[in-house]
Amino acid sequence: ETVVDWRHLDFYRDVVSQDLGLPEDEFCLRNLSVTNATDGQSGFTSLLHRILVDFELKNGECEQKSYIVKENSNDAIGGNEEENYALFEKEIEVFQKLIPEFEKLFQYKVKFGPRFYKAVKSPSTVIVMEDLNASGYIMRSSSNRLNLSDSRAVLSRLAKFHAASAVYTKQNEAYSKFFGSGMFDGDTAGGAEVYLKNLMKSFVTSLRERNCSNEFLDLISQWNKNLYVVGAELFRLNDNDFNVLNHGDLWMNNLMFGESDLMMIDFQIAFYGSFSFDLLQFILCTVEVDEIINKFDELVEFYCQELQDAFLILYHSSLLPSLENLKADVDRHGFFAAILLVEAIPLMSYMTVGQLNMDLMSSPESKGEEFRRKLYQNDKFVDVVDQLLPFLFERGYLKCP
């Protein structure tokens, strides 16, 4: 059988058929155009393309449909990491199997992500999905953080996603091996350990250069220099936690907002583990810093209430841990905030002002050190970290477990 490349018009025959709900002989494909789906740099491991397909119906009417093709590419940031982490394998399973099952649990009254149409692995790995822009959804600027109202909307959707995943786990077999450990995977430890060690060194140097309080520096200096080992232990699955399918990378660039709704995108780092990871990452990386400092507990409690409501809808209230246990779970994983300060938050801050270079990010050479210096001296990151350090210190989240 001839393999049709995604750049060929005929590749979209079955996609249009699914989209229209019509047999393939009810329309004729006429034209295909491909554009870049993102204004800025590519996503991690991926290039995003917007596909416009012109077709003619049997009655002579001509229409156009828009789709998103997500392509694994070595030209993208971290493109060579796909094989190590099976990122596309995860995302295909999430879109093709898990999200439809989760939405079915809510009787399709809740949507978690764009509609999936197809995925192929030859001649290149691509996923074809709904173009949310065409459905009225937009991605907010990553240079801004979310206000309290929008943050609650995301937490509400996240709670439903987590609740559905917990019910799915109870009703079905365990998640596949791809969702075992997130980015802290023993099979890929070598490169990641070096990467985090270099980041940690540059992070501490930047704090010293800015005359950071010794109160914080003394505590940070006690961190195990091998953050990867600490992270792997933190991510180790504990049956006593409230475990769910985590999105794994929930921040502004992986959210799409409609007029009265929102969707999550990019599930490449999804993993099964404590809900605290998604909750902490979303709050610390995406919510306005003033709201984090003043209303952190309120945000956690709001999520917990939404979780309770979701389990009621799903008729599985017995799966809900107590508020006390959920809060304790968050505190047990509080050191994840330190890892976010060293890696995720500076990357997200820098993406608004410069082009990320993952090779330089991990390089021990002088060019790498200079790049990381820019990363940690970036004004947006400095503003965030200077406000978060006292807050995280007071909560005990800077203390290495």
Side-chain angles (χ1 to χ4, degrees):
E1 183 178 351
T2 303
V3 177
V4 180
D5 186 85
W6 67 268
R7 298 172 184 82
H8 192 280
L9 180 61
D10 200 51
F11 181 84
Y12 299 93
R13 189 172 303 280
D14 57 342
V15 173
V16 174
S17 176
Q18 289 181 65
D19 193 6
L20 298 178
L22 293 175
E24 293 182 8
D25 61 1
E26 290 290 319
F27 58 88
C28 292
L29 301 182
R30 295 303 186 194
N31 188 53
L32 173 75
S33 59
V34 181
T35 61
N36 187 1
T38 55
D39 294 330
Q41 59 193 21
S42 64
F44 186 71
T45 80
S46 311
L47 297 178
L48 295 176
H49 310 281
R50 176 164 285 109
I51 309 298
L52 300 177
V53 180
D54 296 305
F55 58 92
E56 182 179 342
L57 298 171
K58 266 192 171 181
N59 62 9
E61 291 183 8
C62 294
E63 296 185 17
Q64 183 182 79
K65 287 288 186 178
S66 176
Y67 306 101
I68 295 296
V69 165
K70 188 170 189 176
E71 176 195 15
N72 176 227
S73 172
N74 287 334
D75 293 332
I77 302 170
N80 56 356
E81 294 297 324
E82 151 59 16
E83 186 173 344
N84 289 336
Y85 293 101
L87 304 179
F88 270 76
E89 295 282 0
K90 284 186 180 185
E91 190 157 40
I92 290 170
E93 185 167 340
V94 170
F95 279 125
Q96 187 172 30
K97 177 182 178 182
L98 298 178
I99 284 181
E101 289 293 331
F102 293 0
E103 292 176 350
K104 182 180 178 181
L105 288 170
F106 280 100
Q107 299 180 342
Y108 304 105
K109 295 177 181 177
V110 178
K111 285 195 70 176
F112 295 113
R115 182 180 178 185
F116 169 90
Y117 289 108
K118 69 188 291 186
V120 299
K121 299 178 183 178
S122 177
S124 59
T125 302
V126 299
I127 301 172
V128 184
M129 65 190 91
E130 173 188 3
D131 182 357
L132 289 175
N133 279 156
S135 302
Y137 291 82
I138 61 170
M139 183 180 293
R140 303 272 183 88
S141 170
S142 59
S143 62
N144 300 316
R145 285 173 166 251
L146 291 181
N147 61 31
L148 189 60
S149 175
D150 288 337
S151 298
R152 285 174 172 163
V154 176
L155 288 173
S156 177
R157 189 57 49 90
L158 181 64
K160 291 179 175 65
F161 182 80
H162 286 169
S165 79
V167 173
Y168 177 87
T169 303
K170 181 177 175 61
Q171 295 179 345
N172 298 274
E173 74 282 358
Y175 292 98
S176 70
K177 63 180 181 179
F178 299 124
F179 301 100
S181 54
M183 295 300 285
F184 290 88
D185 187 334
D187 293 337
T188 59
E193 285 187 46
V194 173
Y195 169 68
L196 285 175
K197 279 184 178 179
N198 288 330
L199 288 182
M200 178 65 188
K201 179 181 176 182
S202 296
F203 174 66
V204 173
T205 298
S206 73
L207 294 179
R208 294 190 189 282
E209 288 179 350
R210 294 191 294 103
N211 297 316
C212 180
S213 167
N214 286 332
E215 186 177 33
F216 304 143
L217 281 172
D218 289 345
L219 190 57
I220 291 171
S221 66
Q222 297 173 27
W223 294 358
N224 186 325
K225 291 183 180 178
N226 192 339
L227 272 188
Y228 190 92
V229 173
V230 179
E233 185 60 33
L234 198 65
F235 273 68
R236 190 184 303 278
L237 190 64
N238 184 337
D239 290 337
N240 293 322
D241 293 338
F242 173 54
N243 294 312
V244 300
L245 183 69
N246 280 260
H247 176 282
D249 193 20
L250 195 60
W251 71 293
M252 191 74 85
N253 275 20
N254 290 332
L255 293 165
M256 299 283 287
F257 291 86
E259 187 174 336
S260 58
D261 194 22
L262 63 93
M263 299 270 194
M264 296 182 288
I265 59 173
D266 196 348
F267 289 84
Q268 290 187 331
I269 313 180
F271 67 95
Y272 186 69
S274 169
F275 77 100
S276 300
F277 294 111
D278 264 355
L279 189 62
L280 285 167
Q281 177 162 14
F282 169 69
I283 292 176
L284 294 174
C285 294
T286 317
V287 178
E288 288 178 351
V289 178
D290 285 348
E291 303 291 9
I292 297 174
I293 294 171
N294 296 318
K295 297 185 177 178
F296 181 86
D297 288 321
E298 181 181 317
L299 288 167
V300 172
E301 289 173 9
F302 177 82
Y303 164 89
C304 294
Q305 181 60 55
E306 291 295 301
L307 191 67
Q308 178 180 335
D309 293 346
F311 277 127
L312 279 172
I313 294 171
L314 298 175
Y315 301 102
H316 276 80
S317 294
S318 61
L319 295 179
L320 177 71
S322 68
L323 176 61
E324 181 181 33
N325 286 341
L326 288 170
K327 285 185 171 181
D329 196 327
V330 173
D331 287 339
R332 278 198 306 276
H333 295 90
F335 188 71
F336 182 50
I339 297 174
L340 293 172
L341 278 182
V342 173
E343 204 257 1
I345 295 176
L347 263 66
M348 294 167 183
S349 300
Y350 191 78
M351 285 176 70
T352 67
V353 298
Q355 185 81 15
L356 283 180
N357 185 316
M358 298 305 290
D359 291 332
L360 289 179
M361 282 279 293
S362 57
S363 172
E365 298 178 1
S366 58
K367 287 185 178 180
E369 291 177 357
E370 178 58 28
F371 182 82
R372 290 190 295 275
R373 187 175 187 279
K374 292 179 181 178
L375 189 76
Y376 291 116
Q377 297 292 0
N378 168 25
D379 288 344
K380 289 190 74 67
F381 174 68
V382 169
D383 180 57
V384 170
V385 75
D386 284 355
Q387 293 182 74
L388 285 183
L389 276 176
F391 168 76
L392 296 174
F393 176 83
E394 290 297 326
R395 295 196 70 91
Y397 289 177
L398 298 183
K399 186 175 182 180
C400 187

